[in-house]
């Protein structure tokens, strides 16, 4: 008969001791759950295992001994571990040994009341953490499956059931002050588990507080105050307001205390959370880059010369259009009126830029600070700033379209219409990069 021993890979570096697990007699299999280290009192071990068996309803017992010989003083330990079989009296008594850092292990069994005390043993390694956190799905179609497949599935489910039900056994770690020291998949994770549990306990009131604040903000946004002009106009036109509205909805979905009913809702929550996390991480990277080496100051100092250069190019273009562009004969009076009109607007725009120059660095500083809300929020604020700085281009279109509509009503102004059309389309094309 072949005996199968399922040994957890997390116990391969454990110190010498005794093997604790469950014996499956119908399968001739032993599922090792943990290793109990020396020193220990056998009565305390039996009492502890009986308490675990009472709570978990799993017949946990001492199945054998584990020897991990790392020093010379442990060479005679194997005889002592073999004698422990008389104290705990389990048949068969499993003996697993490992010599130092060797890759070769020795696994054998010992039975006193048997004609064949030595049996063939198959040692199977398994990841205890993955088995603990996994769920074994039974065959869907039991009518077409063979008896052999059903039997194999039941044997495998017994192993999964044993590991999953032994949760109480995994609650004892090496930092425990109790008389029994165990090695299992949670031996080194007790402190981290405590931190995780504390975070779970703190996340509930934090989510409740965040949900309350978000509901308060959304209530203010839905109030009638924002429906009056010009607040309603700004809320619809500014991309920052639109982005903040979307961000508010995403935070409400994430901080909701309602459990996801379907897999689609769960994936939607996860996608929103991951996208929000990536957005905030990229925003923090942008913020750290801007505030390093005074890049905001250099950017503010570069803005005024670039604006002056654009204004000069526009003025040169208007002077060229006010004359005879490309040899075309234009209406002299209309040239002067429209040219001076647009030159005046450019003068107002560049004066506005110079008036705002002392505050540009502070504005950019706050825009960089807003990147902690996410990269998309900072980009939306930058888009709104560029739209406000280039508002004069929109004025050119409005005024030029009004003149063009008025002049096109008369059939005798075709040349004037052509001239105005060229002015309207040449101006924006020259500053579209700005």
């Amino acid at each position: 008969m072949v005996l199968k021993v399922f040994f957890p890979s997390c116990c391969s570096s454990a110190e010498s001791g005794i093997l604790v697990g469950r014996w499956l007699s119908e399968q001739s299999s032993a599922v090792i759950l943990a290793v109990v280290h020396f020193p220990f009192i056998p009565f305390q071990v039996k009492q502890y295992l009986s308490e675990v068996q009472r709570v978990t309803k799993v017949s946990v017992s001492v199945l054998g001994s584990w020897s991990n010989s790392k020093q010379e003083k442990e060479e005679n330990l194997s005889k002592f571990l073999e004698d422990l079989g008389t104290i705990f009296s389990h048949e068969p008594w499993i003996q697993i040994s490992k010599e130092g850092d060797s890759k070769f292990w020795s696994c054998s069994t010992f039975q006193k009341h048997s004609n064949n005390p030595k049996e063939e043993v198959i040692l199977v390694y398994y990841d205890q953490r993955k088995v603990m956190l996994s769920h074994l799905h039974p065959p869907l179609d039991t009518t077409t499956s063979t008896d052999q497949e059903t039997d194999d599935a039941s044997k495998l489910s017994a192993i999964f059931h044993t590991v999953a039900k032994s949760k109480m056994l995994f609650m004892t770690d090496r930092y425990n002050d109790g008389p029994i020291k165990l090695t299992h998949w949670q031996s080194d994770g007790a402190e981290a588990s405590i931190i995780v549990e504390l975070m779970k306990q703190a996340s509930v009131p934090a989510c409740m507080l965040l949900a309350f604040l978000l509901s308060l903000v959304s209530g203010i946004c839905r109030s009638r105050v924002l429906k009056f002009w010009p607040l309603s106009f700004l809320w619809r036109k500014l991309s920052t307001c639109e982005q903040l509205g979307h961000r508010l909805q995403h935070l409400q979905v994430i901080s909701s205390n309602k459990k996801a009913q379907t897999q689609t809702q769960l994936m939607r929550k996860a996608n929103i959370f991951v996208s929000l996390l990536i957005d905030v991480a990229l925003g923090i990277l942008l913020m750290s880059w801007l505030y390093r080496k005074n890049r905001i100051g250099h950017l503010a100092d570069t803005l005024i010369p670039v604006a002056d250069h654009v204004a000069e190019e526009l003025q040169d273009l208007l002077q060229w259009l006010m004359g005879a562009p490309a040899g075309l004969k234009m209406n002299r009076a209309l040239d002067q009126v429209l040219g001076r009109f647009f030159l005046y607007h450019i003068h107002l725009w560049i004066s506005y830029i110079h008036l705002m120059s002392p505050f540009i660095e502070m504005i950019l500083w706050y825009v960089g600070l807003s990147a902690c809300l996410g990269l998309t929020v900072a980009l939306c604020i930058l888009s709104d700033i560029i739209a406000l700085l280039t508002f004069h281009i929109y004025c050119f279109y409005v005024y030029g379209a009004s003149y063009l509509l008025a002049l096109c009503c008369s059939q005798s102004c075709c040349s004037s219409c052509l001239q105005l059309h060229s002015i309207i389309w040449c101006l924006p094309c020259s500053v579209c990069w700005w």
Side-chain angles (χ1 to χ4, degrees):
M1 184 177 65
V2 179
L3 189 146
K4 296 184 288 296
V5 178
F6 293 88
F7 190 84
S9 57
C10 57
C11 297
S12 58
S13 59
E15 297 178 359
S16 301
I18 55 176
L19 302 174
V20 175
R22 181 187 179 188
W23 172 253
L24 303 174
S25 58
E26 63 276 4
Q27 303 180 22
S28 298
S29 302
V31 182
I32 307 300
L33 299 174
V35 176
V36 180
H37 306 297
F38 300 110
F40 60 83
I41 300 176
F43 174 75
Q44 292 179 345
V45 175
K46 292 180 179 180
Q47 187 178 9
Y48 175 73
L49 294 180
S50 62
E51 181 66 20
V52 172
Q53 184 174 352
R54 184 184 64 83
V55 175
T56 60
K57 307 299 180 183
V58 178
S59 57
V60 182
S61 59
V62 178
L63 302 180
S65 61
W66 160 255
S67 176
N68 189 1
S69 301
K70 298 180 181 179
Q71 301 176 359
E72 294 180 358
K73 64 179 181 179
E74 296 181 352
E75 292 180 355
N76 299 325
L77 188 63
S78 58
K79 181 61 178 176
F80 172 71
L81 293 175
E82 184 177 346
D83 294 338
L84 286 176
T86 60
I87 301 176
F88 294 100
S89 65
H90 182 271
E91 295 285 341
W93 184 256
I94 303 172
Q95 295 177 340
I96 304 177
S97 61
K98 176 185 176 183
E99 298 293 336
D101 296 331
S102 176
K103 297 182 180 179
F104 300 98
W105 291 19
S106 174
C107 183
S108 61
T109 60
F110 178 75
Q111 297 186 21
K112 293 182 179 180
H113 308 287
S114 177
N115 297 328
N116 186 16
K118 299 293 184 178
E119 295 182 352
E120 184 179 356
V121 181
I122 297 178
L123 189 61
V124 181
Y125 299 97
Y126 73 96
D127 193 328
Q128 199 171 57
R129 178 181 178 274
K130 293 182 178 180
V131 175
M132 179 70 186
L133 301 178
S134 302
H135 178 71
L136 183 63
H137 296 274
L140 297 178
D141 192 2
T142 57
T143 58
T144 58
S145 59
T146 61
D147 295 337
Q148 181 66 27
E149 293 176 352
T150 306
D151 187 51
D152 294 340
S154 63
K155 292 180 180 179
L156 193 59
S157 63
I159 299 171
F160 274 76
H161 175 77
T162 301
V163 179
K165 290 295 182 179
S166 304
K167 188 178 296 183
M168 180 183 175
L169 187 67
F170 303 140
M171 295 176 64
T172 305
D173 52 64
R174 64 178 182 177
Y175 301 102
N176 195 354
D177 295 332
I180 299 177
K181 303 296 183 181
L182 298 174
T183 294
H184 45 75
W185 74 280
Q186 278 190 330
S187 298
D188 298 328
E191 293 181 345
S193 301
I194 293 174
I195 296 175
V196 170
E197 291 298 328
L198 290 177
M199 291 179 63
K200 288 181 179 179
Q201 296 294 331
S203 63
V204 176
C207 288
M208 292 179 63
L209 179 60
L210 182 60
F212 173 74
L213 294 177
L214 292 176
S215 62
L216 184 62
V217 173
S218 63
I220 295 174
C221 295
R222 288 194 301 265
S223 63
R224 295 184 178 180
V225 178
L226 296 179
K227 294 182 180 179
F228 294 104
W229 194 89
L231 294 179
S232 60
F233 176 79
L234 293 176
W235 185 263
R236 292 193 307 268
K237 297 300 180 181
L238 294 180
S239 58
T240 304
C241 297
E242 293 288 338
Q243 179 62 28
L244 289 177
H246 291 305
R247 182 58 52 84
L248 182 62
Q249 294 178 0
H250 293 166
L251 289 176
Q252 285 179 338
V253 172
I254 294 175
S255 61
S256 176
N257 55 1
K258 295 181 180 179
K259 188 177 181 180
Q261 301 296 330
T262 60
Q263 187 70 18
T264 305
Q265 295 179 358
L266 182 62
M267 291 299 297
R268 181 173 179 268
K269 268 191 173 183
N271 290 336
I272 291 176
F273 177 76
V274 171
S275 62
L276 185 62
L277 190 64
I278 294 175
D279 189 19
V280 173
L282 292 177
I284 293 175
L285 288 177
L286 175 64
M287 184 174 62
S288 63
W289 181 82
L290 286 175
Y291 289 108
R292 194 178 301 168
K293 298 181 181 179
N294 195 23
R295 288 190 173 93
I296 293 181
H298 296 324
L299 186 62
D301 296 337
T302 309
L303 184 61
I304 302 301
V306 172
D308 291 336
H309 177 72
V310 173
E312 291 177 2
E313 293 294 332
L314 286 175
Q315 290 173 355
D316 294 340
L317 178 62
L318 286 173
Q319 294 292 341
W320 179 69
L321 291 175
M322 289 170 64
L328 298 176
K329 184 179 180 181
M330 299 295 181
N331 191 330
R332 181 70 178 176
L334 186 60
D335 278 347
Q336 297 298 319
V337 171
L338 293 179
R340 291 175 182 177
F341 177 77
F342 289 128
L343 284 174
Y344 176 69
H345 274 77
I346 294 175
H347 173 72
L348 290 179
W349 172 61
I350 199 64
S351 300
Y352 168 73
I353 295 295
H354 281 279
L355 183 64
M356 294 294 295
S357 59
F359 310 100
I360 288 178
E361 184 175 357
M362 183 177 62
I363 293 173
L364 293 177
W365 192 88
Y366 283 109
V367 170
L369 189 63
S370 66
C372 62
L373 299 176
L375 180 63
T376 54
V377 176
L379 293 178
C380 288
I381 295 176
L382 182 62
S383 174
D384 291 334
I385 291 176
I386 294 176
L388 292 175
L389 292 177
T390 58
F391 184 70
H392 62 289
I393 298 179
Y394 179 73
C395 296
F396 290 169
Y397 272 110
V398 173
Y399 297 150
S402 300
Y403 279 113
L404 182 62
L405 183 62
L407 292 176
C408 284
C409 295
S410 175
Q411 297 180 356
S412 60
C413 297
C414 294
S415 60
S416 300
C417 291
L418 179 62
Q419 175 186 356
L420 185 60
H421 189 271
S422 63
I423 293 176
I424 292 173
W425 285 104
C426 287
L427 281 174
C429 292
S430 63
V431 294
C432 62
W433 63 273
W434 168 247

